[in-house]
Amino acid sequence: MATGHDHFDVIVVGGGVNGTGIAMDAAGRGLKVLLCEMNDLASATSSSSSKLIHGGLRYLEHYEFRLVREALSERESLLRNSPHIMWPMRFRLPHRPHLRPAWMIRTGLFLYDHLAKREILPGSRSIEFGAADPLKADITKGFEYSDGWVDDARLVVLTAKKAQQFGAQILTRTKCVKAEQGASEWKVTLRDMTNETEKTVSAKAIVNASGPWVSRLFGETLSMPAPKMIRMVKGSHIVVPRLNKDTEAYILQNEDERIVFVIPYEDEFSLVGTTDVDYEGDPRKAKISPEETDYLLDIVNAHFKRQLGPSDVVWSYSGVRPLMDDEQENAQKASRDYSFEVNSEKGKAPLISVFGGKITTYRKLAEAATDKLCQFFPEASGRWTKTATLPGGEFDNHESLEQKMRGDFPWLSERVLSRYVRTYGMTAYEFLKGCTSMEDLGVNYAGTLYEKEVEHLVKNEWAMTSEDILWRRTKQGLYATESDVEALDRYLMKTAAPETRATDLHHSA
Ligand SMILES: Cc1cc2nc3c(=O)[nH]c(=O)nc-3n(C[C@H](O)[C@H](O)[C@H](O)COP(=O)(O)OP(=O)(O)OC[C@H]3O[C@@H](n4cnc5c(N)ncnc54)[C@H](O)[C@@H]3O)c2cc1C
């Protein structure tokens, strides 16, 4: 396979969940991989999801049985491999008989329980709501079922980390600006977005995993016509003060047949989403509209005793789904499945492009894409990711690790400890090494974010800006004031040195 500093077996364009998933799988099979991401890892769709590891109960209504079965069977593998950043979650579905009859929901839940093997997650059941529940008094009956929750942005970073452990070069803030297809290799120009310098490297194959940019990368960068277009559908979420004290999420049915989730979020908040709005323009500029905020608040107010207004929204975010364009009239009915396009005409270096996908199916998608890649690398080894633990995930469950850490770091505050467990798992031991008191964690920047953690993120997780740290590596931005952000910016300016730049390919993080 490839040797030399500037020649690779595979260049992956795009540092979202699909690009990092493919980089990790391919590097683990022995390929020499470079991944370039024009901004920060997970800075586009992969940090803007509803963060559910789910089969997608709703997709059954659209007969997407292949996707639902694959996603359902993936849930437990993912939950086992990354117990720090993912956990099981119960979902409560209030029953409103004029929207969907009980028999229909029961049938859907029966299928959901039985389409794939389940060992960790309990099955569904009917439930009754009472005065102690947060819902309005006229909602008395419902159902309960299981899915999982994931910190999507951290999933991407940890997948990139695992790829790096197998030798992959991960270049953030590096845009693929040109790629020329030759007979046996691609010549690829990478632009360092921090200083606008460029460098040319070569690779035997390219993977286009640029999500919402997948079709335009053909015209703008690869100089060839796109084999198909994607449909961009914006989805927005709002974060509001916690609506329910318990740990369950709610799945609310709306009059327009859409569903909206209310999910426990970062201790004190609830995450409410999502919307489905056809979108054109720059995916990075997607923003929630006042109509979307009202839409989400109206659904919450129709179900919960606690009534909310726009001033209760503490944060919001929007992302663009890169969906396969199956020409459905209605955006929410467009398929959430994925497909690949392989360009490998005789005498040309191959290109594999990813269309669509879900966070939940990213490992399967990456496995299938890497299988396709390996047709061009007969020396590569076989599938391996189904039982692969992501960095820091070498423990059983939150409770057991919390207990161990309480013993090992008795001085660590409960809030900090519990966040470290669900953000880093065992990796927290690396940056807590040598600390014996809260003072040893250094300056507090916001919420539970201390200097030690910031140092770790800059050194080991490609974090460069306060946004990377406050909104993707952690969600401590929820607690940060303007002056907190300025102080963090000042610290980063003083200390952060770009570790692996496009112009300096051999220095890996
Ligand atoms: C509102 C919403 C809710 C969702 N909820 C869920 C959910 O609950 N569960 C679930 O399983 N899925 C969910 N999804 C779907 C899931 O988030 C996406 O399918 C997934 O994140 C897509 O990942 P990706 O890697 O293909 O794209 P992205 O994450 O967008 O990554 C593509 C990357 O390519 C980079 N890039 C583009 N061009 C270049 C270039 N020229 N050079 C270098 N880099 C480049 C971009 O900067 C970007 O970071 C949701 C999506 C949305 C929008």
Side-chain angles (χ1 to χ4, degrees), residues 75-312:
R75 291 180 310 185
E76 297 205 353
S77 306
L78 295 180
L79 289 167
R80 278 199 185 93
N81 294 346
S82 306
H84 40 350
I85 56 163
M86 302 186 193
W87 50 89
M89 194 170 264
R90 285 298 269 178
F91 287 76
R92 299 177 139 198
L93 192 163
H95 182 228
R96 301 172 76 198
H98 68 288
L99 296 180
R100 283 177 185 85
W103 67 263
M104 187 190 273
I105 298 175
R106 254 189 232 109
T107 310
L109 287 172
F110 179 83
L111 281 173
Y112 211 69
D113 281 345
H114 293 97
L115 268 175
K117 201 167 115 196
R118 251 180 323 110
E119 283 170 357
I120 306 177
L121 299 171
S124 62
R125 65 181 185 115
S126 300
I127 52 170
E128 301 208 336
F129 296 109
D133 286 299
L135 300 178
K136 287 186 164 169
D138 60 324
I139 302 174
T140 55
K141 285 186 166 39
F143 300 89
E144 213 180 70
Y145 67 95
S146 289
D147 263 325
W149 194 89
V150 57
D151 185 330
D152 51 4
R154 291 210 56 74
L155 172 66
V156 175
V157 170
L158 297 184
T159 304
K161 205 67 209 158
K162 186 93 177 176
Q164 188 190 52
Q165 288 171 358
F166 283 106
Q169 297 251 12
I170 308 292
L171 299 181
T172 62
R173 266 90 189 184
T174 303
K175 183 173 180 174
C176 172
V177 287
K178 194 167 174 199
E180 292 166 278
Q181 193 178 26
S184 59
E185 62 176 32
W186 285 89
K187 223 166 92 195
V188 178
T189 308
L190 301 176
R191 181 178 298 156
D192 183 331
M193 303 302 279
T194 63
N195 60 19
E196 298 293 318
T197 55
E198 290 186 357
K199 162 139 191 145
T200 303
V201 294
S202 61
K204 194 165 169 191
I206 290 196
V207 175
N208 174 1
S210 56
W213 289 266
V214 63
S215 301
R216 67 176 76 169
L217 198 87
F218 279 88
E220 290 173 9
T221 311
L222 303 165
S223 307
M224 56 172 79
K228 53 184 167 190
M229 302 310 283
I230 48 148
R231 180 171 184 174
M232 295 205 288
V233 177
K234 180 175 66 154
S236 300
H237 290 82
I238 53 174
V239 175
V240 295
R242 187 74 166 248
L243 281 155
N244 58 311
K245 287 202 198 77
D246 36 41
T247 54
E248 286 90 1
Y250 285 80
I251 167 169
L252 309 178
Q253 305 177 75
N254 197 35
E255 306 286 337
D256 60 3
E257 293 190 358
R258 294 193 66 264
I259 50 111
V260 164
F261 292 101
V262 176
I263 305 165
Y265 190 62
E266 299 289 321
D267 296 335
E268 294 169 27
F269 305 99
S270 294
L271 178 64
V272 182
T274 174
T275 54
D276 282 277
V277 183
D278 273 313
Y279 185 80
E280 283 174 14
D282 184 349
R284 217 166 274 295
K285 297 200 172 133
K287 259 206 179 104
I288 192 167
S289 66
E291 293 75 27
E292 285 175 281
T293 302
D294 289 345
Y295 175 86
L296 295 173
L297 289 173
D298 286 350
I299 298 174
V300 167
N301 290 338
H303 287 82
F304 281 82
K305 286 178 197 149
R306 179 163 179 186
Q307 298 292 288
L308 299 175
S311 61
D312 293 304

Side-chain angles (χ1 to χ4, degrees), residues 13-18 36-38 43-46 48-52 54 174-176 209-213 217 235 237 274 284 319-321 357-360:
V13 181
V17 75
N18 290 326
C36 63
E37 162 52 54
M38 64 181 172
S43 53
T45 316
S46 296
S48 312
S49 80
S50 301
K51 310 178 198 309
L52 301 180
H54 66 157
T174 303
K175 183 173 180 174
C176 172
S210 56
W213 289 266
L217 198 87
H237 290 82
T274 174
R284 217 166 274 295
V320 174
R321 303 173 182 88
K358 306 253 332 145
I359 301 270
T360 312

Side-chain angles (χ1 to χ4, degrees), residues 4-58:
H5 286 312
D6 296 343
H7 181 66
F8 296 85
D9 290 325
V10 187
I11 293 183
V12 180
V13 181
V17 75
N18 290 326
T20 52
I22 294 167
M24 171 180 111
D25 198 326
R29 296 196 206 193
L31 301 188
K32 187 174 173 193
V33 176
L34 179 146
L35 178 142
C36 63
E37 162 52 54
M38 64 181 172
N39 195 344
D40 183 26
L41 294 168
S43 53
T45 316
S46 296
S47 58
S48 312
S49 80
S50 301
K51 310 178 198 309
L52 301 180
I53 294 294
H54 66 157
L57 189 54
R58 188 174 66 75

